[in-house]
């Protein structure tokens, strides 16, 4: 299955949605959310850094790039037993999706990839949804991940096509889209979103949402990340993103991609419970939680399992169980290119 480009929305329409008076925008997004999702459920996810640091890419925001001096120290690929142990603890706390991230530019057909495939199978067999983010991959590699039982593959666009080259130079925007296209040759779902706070304009945010909303099928998951400023990276001194911008982005994503999960991802630790509640009202229905206070590395704080359970209980929300695998119809569509 390929990715079809279908322009259900024009950029001007998305900009009009984004600029809607805030309370009206939240109401519209909440109304759409209730048509497509159970508003009482939030999916709680755990992200495991299975291979940390020493990435050759130059993503200006990333603590794991080998080009920058940060507090993240390179570590080898984790053993399967370690990953399974973390996943078991997460499941016991109500987590239904475990995401495995490796600081690679691209997947290579070697013994390390074989070990990752083994991890995917083992954690999937625990009854959890498994997502991987491993960098660029070929269609053959995507099919191997599918055979291992992978539920989702994350490959964020990060920002708009227009702003992209100011943030990353070691790959281009088409590389991002091509990896999504390769995943769409399988029954693995797509997780793709972006990062707020990279020095982008509102037009850039609208352009990124336009690209995501023009992919058909839409990404099943759309992460909305808030930049964690990391000392030693080029974006270390970026200003904080106003909460209202976060809410506008979530609400706009909810309206233009109504069936997708919108994930309040990195940077959530900066938000109060009230601010998070507004994000949930605007259509966010997934969060990342942790056992160690970090989302991926020590540079990205993340609330803990118990604190998140307390917040969800306070708001009258419940943790969503793992989804049953939905096999996509085998149809032919126009590919990106």
């Amino acid at each position: 299955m390929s990715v079809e480009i279908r322009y259900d929305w024009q950029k001007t329409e998305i900009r009009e949605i984004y600029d809607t008076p805030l309370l009206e925008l939240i109401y519209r997004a909440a109304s759409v959310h209730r048509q497509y999702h159970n508003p009482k459920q939030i999916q709680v996810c755990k992200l495991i850094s299975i291979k940390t640091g020493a990435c050759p890419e130059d993503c200006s925001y990333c603590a794991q790039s080998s080009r920058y001096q940060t507090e993240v120290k390179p570590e080898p690929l984790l053993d399967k037993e370690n990953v399974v142990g973390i996943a078991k603890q997460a499941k016991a706390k109500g987590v239904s999706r475990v995401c495995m991230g490796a600081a690679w530019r691209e997947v290579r057909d070697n013994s390390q990839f074989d070990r990752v495939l083994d991890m995917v199978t083992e954690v999937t067999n625990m009854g959890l949804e498994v997502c991987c983010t491993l960098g660029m991959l070929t269609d053959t590699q995507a099919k191997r991940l599918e055979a291992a039982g992978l539920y989702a593959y994350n490959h964020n666009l990060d920002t708009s096509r227009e702003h992209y080259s100011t943030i990353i130079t070691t790959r281009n925007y088409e590389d991002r889209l091509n990896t999504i296209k390769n995943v769409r040759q399988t029954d693995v779902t797509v997780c793709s979103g972006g990062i707020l706070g990279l020095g982008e304009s509102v037009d850039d945010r609208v352009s990124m949402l336009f690209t995501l909303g023009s992919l058909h099928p839409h990404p099943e998951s759309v992460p909305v990340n808030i930049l964690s400023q990391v000392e030693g990276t080029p974006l270390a001194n970026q200003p904080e993103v106003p909460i209202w911008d976060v809410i506008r982005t979530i609400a706009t994503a909810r309206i233009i991609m109504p069936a997708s999960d919108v994930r309040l991802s990195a940077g959530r630790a900066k938000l109060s419970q009230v601010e998070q509640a507004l994000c949930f009202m605007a259509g966010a229905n997934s969060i990342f939680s942790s056992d160690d206070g970090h989302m991926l590395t020590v540079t990205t704080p993340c609330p803990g399992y118990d604190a998140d359970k307390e917040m969800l209980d306070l708001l009258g929300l419940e943790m969503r169980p793992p989804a049953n695998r939905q096999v996509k119809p085998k149809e032919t569509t126009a590919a990106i290119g």
Side-chain angles (χ1 to χ4, degrees):
M1 187 177 187
S2 298
V3 180
E4 179 188 3
I5 301 294
R6 191 172 77 213
Y7 299 104
D8 291 344
W9 301 91
Q10 299 299 317
K11 285 186 181 179
T12 53
E13 294 175 312
I14 296 176
R15 180 59 188 260
E16 287 175 2
I17 294 170
Y18 188 93
D19 288 340
T20 299
L22 187 61
L23 292 182
E24 175 65 22
L25 178 60
I26 293 172
Y27 173 77
R28 286 183 59 187
S31 300
V32 171
H33 184 67
R34 280 156 175 74
Q35 294 178 43
Y36 288 84
H37 303 271
N38 183 341
K40 294 183 179 180
Q41 290 188 336
I42 299 291
Q43 183 172 46
V44 180
C45 311
K46 166 62 180 173
L47 179 55
I48 306 172
S49 181
I50 61 173
K51 188 275 176 186
T52 303
C55 180
E57 301 225 63
D58 67 352
C59 305
S60 299
Y61 53 81
C62 188
Q64 301 198 70
S65 172
S66 61
R67 299 166 185 251
Y68 314 131
Q69 294 296 316
T70 73
E71 58 183 307
V72 172
K73 305 303 179 186
E75 298 177 8
L77 186 67
L78 293 179
D79 292 333
K80 181 180 69 174
E81 291 72 19
N82 195 346
V83 173
V84 169
I86 296 171
K88 285 180 177 178
Q89 181 182 8
K91 182 180 179 181
K93 292 293 186 176
V95 167
S96 59
R97 176 179 290 209
V98 169
C99 303
M100 304 177 190
W104 293 336
R105 168 179 163 75
E106 59 200 348
V107 174
R108 298 185 182 276
D109 294 309
N110 56 23
S111 61
Q112 289 202 334
F113 186 39
D114 293 338
R115 289 169 59 192
V116 172
L117 294 172
D118 197 20
M119 294 176 196
V120 169
T121 299
E122 190 80 12
V123 178
T124 296
N125 288 340
M126 293 170 52
L128 293 167
E129 297 175 20
V130 179
C131 178
C132 280
T133 179
L134 311 171
M136 295 181 289
L137 78 167
T138 66
D139 56 349
T140 300
Q141 292 162 344
K143 290 172 183 174
R144 292 186 69 192
L145 285 164
E146 177 189 30
L150 189 69
Y151 187 87
Y153 194 82
N154 168 261
H155 204 66
N156 289 331
L157 298 184
D158 286 352
T159 188
S160 69
R161 183 187 294 272
E162 296 82 3
H163 190 56
Y164 189 82
S165 63
T166 68
I167 304 300
I168 304 163
T169 66
T170 48
R171 73 169 89 171
N172 60 44
Y173 215 66
E174 290 305 318
D175 291 331
R176 298 271 177 181
L177 293 173
N178 283 336
T179 288
I180 294 173
K181 179 188 73 173
N182 290 335
V183 174
R184 283 300 189 208
Q185 309 306 311
T186 73
D187 287 328
V188 175
T189 63
V190 168
C191 177
S192 187
I195 307 170
L196 304 181
L198 303 180
E200 76 282 354
S201 64
V202 170
D203 284 342
D204 288 316
R205 292 175 188 167
V206 168
S207 180
M208 179 187 72
L209 290 167
F210 174 71
T211 300
L212 291 167
S214 299
L215 301 177
H216 282 266
H218 290 149
E220 286 81 358
S221 298
V222 180
V224 176
N225 297 280
I226 307 165
L227 176 69
S228 293
Q229 299 89 338
V230 178
E231 185 176 351
T233 65
L235 297 182
N237 297 316
Q238 282 294 110
E240 295 290 350
V241 179
I243 181 57
W244 314 119
D245 292 3
V246 178
I247 293 170
R248 285 188 180 279
T249 302
I250 288 171
T252 304
R254 169 53 63 223
I255 291 169
I256 68 173
M257 293 173 282
S260 302
D261 283 328
V262 178
R263 303 188 184 278
L264 183 56
S265 302
R268 184 172 66 89
K270 301 179 181 184
L271 307 182
S272 69
Q273 289 186 342
V274 172
E275 290 169 335
Q276 292 178 68
L278 286 170
C279 291
F280 299 147
M281 289 182 66
N285 60 339
S286 176
I287 58 175
F288 284 85
S289 195
S290 80
D291 56 341
D292 59 5
H294 306 119
M295 182 170 164
L296 185 62
T297 69
V298 294
T299 62
T300 307
C302 182
Y305 297 138
D306 293 339
D308 281 335
K309 179 65 165 56
E310 179 182 341
M311 176 185 68
L312 295 180
D313 287 345
L314 176 67
L315 298 176
L317 300 173
E318 60 189 39
M319 297 182 180
R320 192 175 84 196
N324 292 323
R325 180 82 178 231
Q326 298 297 313
V327 179
K328 302 180 185 66
K330 302 295 184 182
E331 58 183 71
T332 302
T333 54
I336 288 175

